[in-house]
């Protein structure tokens, strides 16, 4: 019995000594967990709460986004998406409290930045597909009349069932794009076109008045910069608007 115990102890000692000679693998000295923000990310920062005006920058331009890599654009997209969710949440909260939201144009700036970023990504995709395959890689779309006779964009959609067998989708197309161009539809199209032309003319008139005020206050204004600020303004027509322009008789090069 004693010999058996001594043999077991010696075997265990030899095993321990052999284990101590194994190389030691060093672990990480510092481990961090994934950052999981809470619901406070959907609300304004505490420093901006209660302010009537918040200092913000402009939207991202196309020429700025074209200089960034695909990884940076991917990160920036989620930053803008997070900012948009926060602004929409705060907009709803301010409406519930019947309080004006400070600098509500931030929503438009974020939306414009996201549109520009998406346009840059589309440009790169088109360039890649044209170089590799000779096509744009985008679905072709064309104009067709809707149920009210208006021209709208239509993109063909691929289906698993042939069109002659897909009766449900054909009924949807007939209801959405089927137009008989009868007298009520023609009457609607006439009034619709008249409404669009009136809005366009009214918008042009507002820009003409704003530009006329600038010319009346600053007679030596640069016409190129003025046209860039108000693209719907006709410089020759503007300089003939003496009634709004006032007594200013300075001649500008159109």
């Amino acid at each position: 019995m004693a010999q058996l115990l001594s043999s077991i102890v010696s075997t265990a000692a030899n095993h321990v000594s052999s284990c101590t000679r194994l190389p030691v693998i060093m672990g990480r000295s510092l481990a961090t967990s994934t950052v999981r923000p809470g619901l406070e990310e959907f609300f304004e920062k505490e420093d901006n709460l209660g302010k009537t005006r918040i200092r913000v920058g402009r939207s991202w331009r196309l020429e700025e986004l074209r200089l960034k890599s695909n990884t940076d654009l991917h990160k920036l997209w989620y930053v803008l998406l997070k900012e948009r969710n926060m602004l929409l949440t705060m907009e709803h909260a301010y409406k519930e409290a019947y309080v004006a939201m400070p600098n509500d144009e931030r929503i438009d700036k974020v939306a414009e930045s996201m549109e520009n970023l998406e346009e840059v990504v589309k440009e790169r995709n088109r360039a890649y597909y044209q170089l590799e395959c000779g096509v744009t890689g985008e679905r072709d779309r064309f104009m067709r009349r809707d149920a009210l006779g208006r021209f709208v964009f239509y993109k063909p959609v691929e289906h698993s069932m042939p069109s002659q067998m897909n009766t449900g989708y054909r009924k949807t197309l007939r209801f959405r794009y089927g137009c008989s161009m009868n007298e009520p539809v023609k009457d609607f199209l006439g009034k619709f076109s008249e409404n669009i032309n009136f809005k366009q003319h009214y918008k042009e008139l507002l820009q003409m008045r704003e530009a006329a005020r600038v010319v009346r206050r600053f007679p030596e204004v640069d016409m190129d910069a003025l046209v860039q600020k108000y693209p719907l303004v006709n410089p020759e027509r503007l300089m003939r608007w003496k009634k709004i322009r006032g007594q200013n008789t300075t001649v500008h090069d159109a």
Side-chain angles (χ1 to χ4, degrees):
M1 188 69 178
Q3 294 179 354
L4 179 62
L5 290 176
S6 61
S7 63
I8 293 175
V9 170
S10 61
T11 304
N14 293 332
H15 179 70
V16 171
S17 61
S18 63
C19 291
T20 55
R21 290 193 297 269
L22 293 176
V24 179
I25 301 176
M26 299 298 295
R28 291 182 300 174
S29 58
L30 177 63
T32 58
S33 59
T34 306
V35 179
R36 299 184 183 274
L39 294 178
E40 65 272 5
E41 296 291 325
F42 284 95
F43 297 93
E44 196 81 67
K45 295 181 180 179
E46 296 182 0
D47 299 339
N48 296 332
L49 294 177
K51 293 184 179 180
T52 58
R53 184 173 181 82
I54 301 175
R55 297 186 61 182
V56 295
R58 55 172 175 79
S59 58
W60 285 88
R61 298 174 180 173
L62 286 172
E63 52 271 16
E64 296 173 344
L65 296 173
R66 291 190 180 103
L67 300 177
K68 292 188 173 295
S69 63
N70 294 334
T71 304
D72 293 339
L73 292 179
H74 188 267
K75 295 178 181 179
L76 180 59
W77 173 265
Y78 281 99
V79 171
L80 294 173
L81 181 62
K82 179 180 176 181
E83 184 72 12
R84 188 188 68 174
N85 292 339
M86 184 273 293
L87 292 175
L88 294 179
T89 303
M90 294 305 300
E91 183 185 26
H92 178 73
Y94 279 110
K95 286 182 179 179
E96 290 291 327
Y98 296 97
V99 180
M101 179 179 178
N103 295 85
D104 54 351
E105 72 276 1
R106 290 180 292 171
I107 301 177
D108 299 332
K109 292 181 180 179
V110 171
E112 183 179 359
S113 299
M114 297 181 73
E115 291 177 1
N116 293 338
L117 193 152
E118 188 176 4
E119 181 62 26
V120 171
V121 173
K122 289 182 179 179
E123 289 178 357
R124 297 183 180 182
N125 288 337
R126 286 194 295 265
Y128 172 79
Y129 278 102
Q130 287 177 356
L131 181 63
E132 296 291 335
C133 308
V135 294
T136 59
E138 298 180 350
R139 286 189 299 170
D140 296 332
R141 64 176 185 173
F142 53 89
M143 302 289 293
R144 65 183 304 176
R145 292 186 181 273
D146 61 356
L148 298 178
R150 300 170 298 181
F151 284 102
V152 295
F153 285 105
Y154 173 76
K155 286 186 177 181
V157 181
E158 185 177 359
H159 297 272
S160 58
M161 186 182 300
S163 59
Q164 60 271 17
M165 300 175 59
N166 197 348
T167 57
Y169 187 69
R170 290 207 310 270
K171 290 180 181 179
T172 303
L173 289 180
R174 189 181 304 112
F175 175 77
R176 187 175 301 174
Y177 298 104
C179 181
S180 59
M181 292 301 294
N182 51 17
E183 292 299 327
V185 173
K186 292 181 180 179
D187 182 62
F188 166 77
L189 288 177
K191 294 181 179 179
F192 182 72
S193 301
E194 183 180 357
N195 189 15
I196 292 179
N197 294 333
F198 174 77
K199 290 181 179 180
Q200 182 69 17
H201 179 70
Y202 181 72
K203 187 177 180 180
E204 180 181 355
L205 182 62
L206 290 180
Q207 291 194 9
M208 288 284 290
R209 289 179 177 177
E210 292 291 335
R213 293 191 185 99
V214 174
V215 173
R216 183 171 56 185
R217 185 174 181 181
F218 305 100
E220 302 297 335
V221 65
D222 187 5
M223 295 303 297
D224 295 335
L226 188 66
V227 173
Q228 186 177 4
K229 176 68 175 179
Y230 304 102
L232 298 180
V233 171
N234 186 358
E236 297 180 357
R237 182 185 173 190
L238 177 65
M239 301 314 298
R240 292 196 302 266
W241 246 13
K242 294 183 179 180
K243 182 177 180 180
I244 299 181
R245 181 179 168 188
Q247 302 298 326
N248 180 29
T249 57
T250 305
V251 179
H252 292 79
D253 295 332

